[in-house]
Amino acid sequence: MSDYSKMMMNYFGACGVMTNLSLARDLGLVKVLLEAKAPLTSQQMADKRNLRERYVREILGALAVGRIISVDDSSTKFHVPEDNKGTLEAISVFARVIPQMGTRYESVKKCAQPQNHGGIVYNQSDDMFEVMKEIVVVVKKDMVDTDILPAVSLLLPKLESGIKVAEFGCATGYILNQLASRFKNSTFLGSDVASEPLVEAREDATRQGLQNITYDTDDIDNISKRYEESFDWILTRDVIHDLTYPQKALNEIYRCLKPGGIFSMIDVGIEGGITGNIANPSAMFYYSASTFFCIPESFRKPDSAALGCTWGAPLAREMLAKAGFTIINESVSRTDEKEVHFVCQK
């Protein structure tokens, strides 16, 4: 078998293993493996989750041959070394994206053909918002402390004393509710074009008893005139590259900031383009995810920018400058080498 054939078979096998990992998470098997203090048989694991043992055995087999989990010499007892448990939990969450690609396959195939409509919104896929939330809650649960606040340390005293903050494209409000609970003297607005995730955002804010936050639907391409020069700090995360008209959105954000205000654009910022990322696993994921999620999300009109999440850091900087921003800081996420926090000032 040639090296090329081996490489192709490796990808083919890896895709199958990751699909089984997603299934293992959804069935609760990952949870059992993470909690186990000793190796378990497939029957023991099936009993814990009230599952058919034969399916459990095959799923565990796929994970074991893929070296995701360990198996004893008898091929009957499975476990995860303690040092690997954190990584397993994180990657099993990302693995849930793969079945989502499958549910969108036929729709994306149609979108690629010019006689059909070019886009699919996220909420057309069952469980998509739930998967996206789990990625933030499990994989990026500490991002407020690791990726966001350290990059805008100049704002911390102002947040304590009280400023106006907005997040556009806030989805379920995971980030904004954390900030609102921490900085009680500041006021927060969460906005998203989709109303479904805002229901959960409001419910979470109510559970926490937050009085300094409101949620509303708004089109980031055409933000309400009442927010003209209203905010001291505006955030977006993995939003701009998904938009139909991203340059217009950046212009709108600039308009809504007070003079000297800060814009945190947290987004995929790949450097080096295609040639600079050959065989890079993170880049492989982002180019693949962009095909099934980001391009369809943004390609709603014939003149859509359709940037995709592989738009690249150089273009991001160019578009921010065109909107009038000055980038005062850039920092790479501690959990994702391709995600960049661009701190910009009006």
Side-chain angles (χ1 to χ4, degrees), residues 94-318:
F94 274 114
R96 297 186 68 207
V97 172
I98 294 175
Q100 290 292 323
M101 291 182 183
T103 64
R104 297 165 72 91
Y105 183 89
E106 289 299 327
S107 295
V108 172
K109 186 169 70 174
K110 290 178 182 177
C111 288
Q113 302 171 59
Q115 69 269 26
N116 302 318
H117 185 66
I120 320 166
V121 295
Y122 280 123
N123 59 8
Q124 285 181 237
S125 299
D126 293 341
D127 301 326
M128 192 62 218
F129 282 118
E130 192 271 325
V131 171
M132 293 168 68
K133 179 187 175 182
E134 190 178 30
I135 289 173
V136 174
V137 172
V138 176
V139 182
K140 299 178 180 291
K141 60 184 177 182
D142 299 322
M143 71 178 303
V144 168
D145 291 308
T146 61
D147 298 349
I148 297 179
L149 292 179
V152 292
S153 56
L154 72 165
L155 283 177
L156 294 180
K158 297 178 182 179
L159 284 163
E160 293 286 1
S161 59
I163 58 175
K164 293 182 69 175
V165 181
E167 182 184 6
F168 291 100
C170 67
T172 57
Y174 182 77
I175 293 172
L176 208 61
N177 281 343
Q178 284 191 62
L179 292 170
S181 67
R182 190 173 306 189
F183 302 105
K184 298 294 179 60
N185 293 326
S186 291
T187 57
F188 297 83
L189 169 70
S191 176
D192 202 289
V193 71
S195 58
E196 297 94 329
L198 294 183
V199 173
E200 185 173 344
R202 293 188 184 100
E203 290 174 350
D204 183 47
T206 300
R207 278 194 299 270
Q208 295 188 53
L210 301 178
Q211 302 295 317
N212 59 336
I213 189 167
T214 57
Y215 286 98
D216 197 7
T217 54
D218 216 327
D219 185 352
I220 195 173
D221 292 339
N222 190 24
I223 302 172
S224 173
K225 299 297 181 185
R226 70 179 182 272
Y227 295 131
E228 186 93 18
E229 294 192 347
S230 291
F231 301 105
D232 301 279
W233 184 26
I234 293 177
L235 302 91
T236 63
R237 180 180 175 274
D238 286 349
V239 169
I240 300 302
H241 73 259
D242 273 342
L243 300 175
T244 302
Y245 303 118
Q247 188 64 63
K248 186 177 180 182
L250 291 173
N251 296 343
E252 287 288 280
I253 290 170
Y254 187 88
R255 177 178 63 81
C256 293
L257 274 173
K258 296 177 181 179
I262 298 297
F263 171 42
S264 285
M265 186 180 80
I266 304 167
D267 217 305
V268 183
I270 293 176
E271 300 275 11
I274 295 174
T275 57
N277 287 279
I278 301 297
N280 181 294
S282 293
M284 291 182 204
F285 171 78
Y286 277 118
Y287 274 94
S288 300
S290 191
T291 301
F292 284 88
F293 303 110
C294 306
I295 298 297
E297 171 68 19
S298 61
F299 218 139
R300 301 189 188 188
K301 297 183 179 179
D303 61 344
S304 298
L307 294 177
C309 65
T310 60
W311 61 323
L315 180 56
R317 298 183 190 107
E318 179 183 322

Side-chain angles (χ1 to χ4, degrees), residues 27-29 43 45-53 56:
L27 290 174
L29 297 174
Q43 186 64 62
M45 295 184 66
D47 291 344
K48 286 179 178 291
R49 300 301 303 178
N50 192 28
L51 299 171
R52 287 190 168 96
E53 183 275 337
V56 173

